[in-house]
């Protein structure tokens, strides 16, 4: 294990940590956008056409996985084999890196890469190991929260992302991820998120980073669900000005069907 760690440390870092987080967020946003309007949310008194329809959400049936591929080992006592592997990993990192903080940064980069390439089991294992190196690692809670969301476990995702924000409340991108999970709860008719809660988190994220185009796009979707289409267009165009590549054009078409673009840009 020690030799493998030393070899890994020589690998050239082709993708920076910040960029990988951005890739991850885009993957998460893409996933959310695909399912964001995937169900007709039947609020009381709402007609069948009150919300747009799209393909059904992914199956969320939990498969059987080895404990090390479960978030935080399923919050259960480790087996002898898993404990042995964990002890060896920590000892190897202590021997190979100048500090545990340096080790966490290195392995977090690799873990985010696995998330971005949809290798969620491997990513989960890596984040579990990172959590052993640093029980208060923001990246571990953030990464495992995103993985839980992508596996369809919104409740767990919310708990993990909320823990990450408790440790570092300045992470505006993580706050947007947190808002996305709550928006998913609303769309599925679950009690783990409301539109007001989502909007409050997005507002907070934009106070921290006014140029967060993803937060603006999500505020546009929240306004859409509230049937405030003029405000939805306002946020949509604000996102366009900040970063046109972040626009969800499928959502733009849905919005245009409810109200023509006041600026006449999107037909």
């Amino acid at each position: 294990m020690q030799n493998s760690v030393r070899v890994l440390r020589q690998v050239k870092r082709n993708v920076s940590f910040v960029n990988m987080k951005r890739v991850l967020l885009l993957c998460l946003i893409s996933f959310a956008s695909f399912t964001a309007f995937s169900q007709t949310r039947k609020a009381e008194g709402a007609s069948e056409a009150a919300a747009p329809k799209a393909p059904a959400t992914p199956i969320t049936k939990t498969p059987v996985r080895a404990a090390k591929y479960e978030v935080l080992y399923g919050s259960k006592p480790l087996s002898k084999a898993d404990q042995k592997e964990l002890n060896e990993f920590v000892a190897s990192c202590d021997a190979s890196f100048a500090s545990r903080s340096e080790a966490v940064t290195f392995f977090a980069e690799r873990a985010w890469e696995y998330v971005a390439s949809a290798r969620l089991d491997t990513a989960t294992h890596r984040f579990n190991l990172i959590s052993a190196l640093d029980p208060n690692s923001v990246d571990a809670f953030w990464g495992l929260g995103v993985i839980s969301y992508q596996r369809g476990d919104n409740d767990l995702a919310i708990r993990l992302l909320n823990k990450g924000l408790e440790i570092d409340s300045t992470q505006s991108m993580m706050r947007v991820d947190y808002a996305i999970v709550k928006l998913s709860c609303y769309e599925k008719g679950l009690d783990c998120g409301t539109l007001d809660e989502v909007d409050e988190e997005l507002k907070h994220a934009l106070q921290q980073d006014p140029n967060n185009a993803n937060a603006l796009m999500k505020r546009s979707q929240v306004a859409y669900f509230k049937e405030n289409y003029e405000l939805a267009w306002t946020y949509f165009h604000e996102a366009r000005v900040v970063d046109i590549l972040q626009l969800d054009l499928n959502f733009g078409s849905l919005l245009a069907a409810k109200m023509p673009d006041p600026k006449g840009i999107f037909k």
Side-chain angles (χ1 to χ4, degrees):
M1 175 70 77
Q2 183 170 332
N3 289 336
S4 63
V5 170
R6 286 171 175 161
V7 170
L8 281 172
R9 293 183 67 189
Q10 303 304 315
V11 176
K12 182 178 180 180
R13 300 181 183 184
N14 295 320
V15 184
S16 72
F17 195 19
V18 172
N19 286 339
M20 279 312 307
K21 282 190 177 180
R22 185 169 181 79
V23 169
L24 166 75
L25 183 59
L26 292 178
C27 289
L28 194 156
I29 294 295
S30 177
F31 177 88
S33 297
F34 181 76
T35 63
F37 300 96
S38 61
Q39 298 181 5
T40 301
R41 193 176 192 287
K42 299 178 181 177
E44 292 185 13
S47 67
E48 190 69 21
K53 296 180 180 179
T57 53
I59 296 174
T60 58
K61 183 178 180 180
T62 304
V64 177
R65 302 185 185 89
K68 65 182 179 181
Y69 299 132
E70 293 289 352
V71 170
L72 299 177
Y73 295 89
S75 297
K76 298 177 181 177
L78 275 63
S79 67
K80 290 183 178 180
D82 286 336
Q83 187 64 62
K84 181 175 183 293
E85 178 188 39
L86 197 59
N87 292 343
E88 290 178 349
F89 172 77
V90 171
S92 180
C93 287
D94 287 343
S96 302
F97 292 89
S99 67
R100 287 196 178 184
S101 176
E102 181 183 319
V104 166
T105 298
F106 175 80
F107 284 103
E109 289 183 25
R110 308 284 81 76
W112 283 117
E113 289 173 4
Y114 288 127
V115 174
S117 61
R119 297 171 63 182
L120 298 186
D121 283 352
T122 303
T124 301
H125 185 208
R126 291 302 178 92
F127 281 122
N128 284 341
L129 295 175
I130 290 166
S131 183
L133 286 173
D134 178 6
N136 290 316
S137 167
V138 171
D139 282 291
F141 286 109
W142 190 350
L144 292 172
V146 168
I147 290 167
S148 298
Y149 170 71
Q150 293 189 347
R151 286 176 172 175
D153 192 338
N154 284 4
D155 286 333
L156 180 56
I158 285 174
R159 291 198 300 273
L160 292 165
L161 292 170
N162 184 61
K163 180 63 176 179
L165 288 170
E166 287 178 356
I167 296 171
D168 186 356
S169 63
T170 68
Q171 295 285 352
S172 63
M173 291 177 68
M174 179 164 54
R175 192 172 296 279
V176 175
D177 285 355
Y178 181 68
I180 288 171
V181 179
K182 282 188 168 286
L183 182 58
S184 176
C185 289
Y186 168 81
E187 294 170 284
K188 294 176 180 177
L190 305 175
D191 62 3
C192 48
T194 67
L195 290 180
D196 286 341
E197 288 174 346
V198 174
D199 203 44
E200 190 62 31
E201 293 298 335
L202 295 172
K203 185 190 302 182
H204 191 169
L206 286 165
Q207 289 172 345
Q208 295 175 319
D209 178 10
N211 292 321
N212 192 321
N214 290 319
L216 290 166
M217 276 302 310
K218 290 304 168 186
R219 288 202 86 180
S220 180
Q221 292 181 7
V222 168
Y224 176 97
F225 275 121
K226 290 185 174 183
E227 300 183 1
N228 190 339
Y229 305 123
E230 184 174 0
L231 182 59
W233 275 119
T234 297
Y235 289 133
F236 191 88
H237 283 294
E238 287 181 5
R240 174 181 61 82
V241 172
V242 171
D243 187 352
I244 194 170
L245 295 179
Q246 301 306 310
L247 290 185
D248 184 339
L249 297 180
N250 289 331
F251 166 70
S253 297
L254 294 170
L255 181 55
K258 293 293 184 180
M259 174 184 172
D261 178 8
K263 293 183 179 295
I265 298 175
F266 298 93
K267 306 294 184 180

